[in-house]
Amino acid sequence: MKFFIDTANLDQIREAQELGVLDGVTTNPSLMAKEGITGRNNILKHYVDICNIVDGDVSAEVIATTFDEMVKEGEELAELHDQIVVKIPMIKDGVKALKYFSDKGIKTNCTLVFSAGQALLAAKAGATYVSPFIGRLDDISTDGLNLIAEIRHIYDNYAFETQILAASIRHTMHVIDCAKVGADVMTSGLSSITGLLKHPLTDSGLEKFLADYNKGN
Ligand code: E4P
């Protein structure tokens, strides 16, 4: 499973990259705003800064909601850097834009996906990634993980190449459960990645090993 980090915070992206397990980055307008990145030029520059830190795909979301505007904005984003993936919302014009970019060989990430039907449409339109938001489903008492499993089943039935990018990951158990049901990628905040490191038996075991070593030295 690929690990993406879901943030626009450059320090956190660097930290995940230095850990050696990072395969890409996802951003969205809210994550940009959280870092105080506003204004078109600053946002575009920030995408390039992110691409210069990581080796993998970097999702950059369009603000446009009509086909023509999405194409214009998406092409501008794609030209910024060859790691850019154009992130497009699951709306009617978005499906058309996914198909347009797919035909042109430009990578896409279909975002705001909350149902298997939406994921099926994204795959039919040739999306590179589909992003089901599991945390937001859990928030409304709907089983987010079950959606990942449903999409996995459907995509495997027809050998769709669209990669399932489990998004809106809130904690380490989401990461592990997504790996169990076969998500291709998960995107989360840094704490859900570094949280995988932790186990009290590792800490106490290491403490004992070091103490025993020091007895003889
Ligand atoms: C995905 O690409 C989104 O940026 C993200 O995972 C949304 O997560 P949230 O529900 O925590 O805002």
Side-chain angles (χ1 to χ4, degrees):
M1 182 167 65
K2 291 184 203 164
F3 275 22
F4 287 2
I5 190 167
D6 195 32
T7 185
N9 182 294
L10 299 183
D11 289 336
Q12 290 184 15
I13 293 170
R14 262 186 222 104
E15 188 175 335
Q17 173 70 17
E18 283 164 11
L19 193 58
V21 298
L22 192 65
D23 300 296
V25 177
T26 51
T27 62
N28 64 41
S30 305
L31 293 171
M32 282 287 184
K34 192 174 165 197
E35 298 307 317
I37 314 295
T38 55
R40 197 67 192 153
N41 290 342
N42 291 332
I43 289 172
L44 297 182
K45 180 186 171 301
H46 205 71
Y47 287 137
V48 175
D49 290 343
I50 293 173
C51 290
N52 289 334
I53 296 172
V54 300
D55 298 323
D57 287 345
V58 174
S59 287
E61 187 159 342
V62 299
I63 304 304
T65 53
T66 64
F67 174 75
D68 288 343
E69 287 171 358
M70 279 187 206
V71 164
K72 188 166 168 252
E73 193 183 347
E75 283 179 339
E76 184 187 17
L77 291 170
E79 272 172 23
L80 286 176
H81 199 285
D82 59 11
Q83 286 167 239
I84 292 286
V85 172
V86 182
K87 198 172 179 189
I88 294 173
M90 172 38 77
I91 56 176
K92 195 171 180 182
D93 280 27
V95 174
K96 294 180 193 171
L98 289 170
K99 175 75 174 111
Y100 172 88
F101 287 118
S102 164
D103 287 347
K104 288 195 77 174
I106 292 174
K107 285 186 179 179
T108 53
N109 174 0
C110 180
T111 189
L112 290 167
V113 166
F114 295 93
S115 76
Q118 291 178 324
L120 182 55
L121 268 179
K124 289 285 295 172
T128 313
Y129 298 103
V130 65
S131 287
F133 279 34
I134 70 171
R136 291 192 194 187
L137 282 171
D138 287 357
D139 287 345
I140 57 159
S141 308
T142 303
D143 186 350
L145 188 70
N146 183 55
L147 175 59
I148 304 291
E150 273 189 303
I151 300 171
R152 178 76 284 152
H153 187 91
I154 291 168
Y155 282 11
D156 287 351
N157 277 350
Y158 300 99
F160 282 121
E161 287 178 7
T162 300
Q163 295 178 55
I164 302 171
L165 196 175
S168 188
I169 297 273
R170 300 283 165 77
H171 46 69
T172 54
M173 279 313 294
H174 269 158
V175 179
I176 293 161
D177 287 338
C178 283
K180 282 185 185 169
V181 298
D184 299 290
V185 191
M186 77 84 200
T187 191
S188 74
L190 183 62
S191 64
S192 297
I193 297 174
T194 55
L196 296 169
L197 275 166
K198 293 178 193 162
H199 199 289
L201 291 178
T202 304
D203 297 339
S204 59
L206 182 61
E207 196 178 335
K208 177 84 169 66
F209 284 157
L210 295 179
D212 287 344
Y213 173 83
N214 286 327
K215 279 180 195 165
N217 291 284

